[in-house]
Structure formats: structure tokens, C-alpha cells
Amino acid sequence: MRHDLRRALGPESCRLACETPRTLRLDISGVDVDALLFDAALARGDSESLKTAVGLYRGALLEDCAEEWVVDERRHREQAYLIALEALASEAAMRGEHAAAVGYLHQAIEADLYREDLLRA
């Protein structure tokens, strides 16, 4: 597995460290990581930052990974994405930009088809 990762990383394989036979560490210093940029944009919380966060979201974090540690991270980011979309929709509606509000709500519904409050909105 380490060999495959090193090959996939190519010239950046020097960022991969194997401190023990069961652990891997990836040095991300000086690199933009979309998940971290997403978190930072959400933390700022203003409209432009929320739009940035929504634009960065590409779906469930490590969707095919069933490791226990990722489940909470995935759920947290999915909910944060939906909250950002709801906030943007609400702001757009208050400004009278109903088409934009509907667009944000459609994105939220696509992400979570079973949220009745989104469907009602």
C-alpha cells in the first residue's frame, strides 16, 4: 500500500512518512487542502465565505472509506454544507433574489433528499 501511495504521489511522495508499520502521515504544509479550506471558509461565516465553502464541497468526505474515524468528519461536513446552503438561501430570499434562493435549496435537496424542511422551503 505504501508503495502504491508513493507512486500515486509521484514527485510529492517525499511528503509521505511511515512512522510505524501501521501508520502513514502526509505532510500538507504549503499545500491547499479543499477540506481545510472548506472548514476555514465556514468558520469565517460571511456570505462570500459561505459561497466559497459551497463551491469547494464535492460530496461526502472519503465516501468509500468505512474507517470509524472518518464517519464523524463526514457527517460534520455534510451538515455544515447543508447549513451553509440554507443560510445562503435565506439571505437571497431576504434580498428578493428568489431564483438564487431556490438554486441553493435545490443544491441542499440534492445532498439530502429526506430533509422535509428543505422541501418545504
Side-chain angles (χ1 to χ4, degrees):
M1 177 153 124
R2 280 183 252 161
H3 176 71
D4 293 337
L5 283 172
R6 288 192 189 284
R7 188 173 23 166
L9 290 170
E12 298 295 326
S13 65
C14 61
R15 293 181 178 275
L16 190 63
C18 306
E19 296 161 355
T20 71
R22 297 183 51 99
T23 62
L24 295 172
R25 183 177 52 83
L26 183 64
D27 176 11
I28 58 169
S29 58
V31 176
D32 288 333
V33 178
D34 58 354
L36 299 179
L37 293 172
F38 174 82
D39 291 345
L42 287 175
R44 288 189 301 272
D46 60 275
S47 292
E48 286 306 310
S49 296
L50 293 179
K51 288 177 187 177
T52 297
V54 165
L56 287 166
Y57 190 80
R58 299 285 183 259
L61 177 70
L62 301 172
E63 188 172 23
D64 295 334
C65 181
E67 295 288 328
E68 184 177 325
W69 67 269
V70 80
V71 173
D72 287 335
E73 291 290 324
R74 182 182 301 137
R75 187 176 304 119
H76 168 73
R77 285 190 175 87
E78 287 172 347
Q79 291 306 308
Y81 173 68
L82 292 172
I83 290 167
L85 286 169
E86 288 177 283
L88 289 170
S90 177
E91 290 173 6
M94 287 191 307
R95 290 190 307 269
E97 299 170 359
H98 302 293
V102 168
Y104 290 125
L105 290 170
H106 276 285
Q107 282 181 267
I109 291 166
E110 286 176 15
D112 189 345
L113 297 172
Y114 301 109
R115 289 265 311 267
E116 290 184 23
D117 59 326
L118 294 174
L119 294 168
R120 281 193 303 273

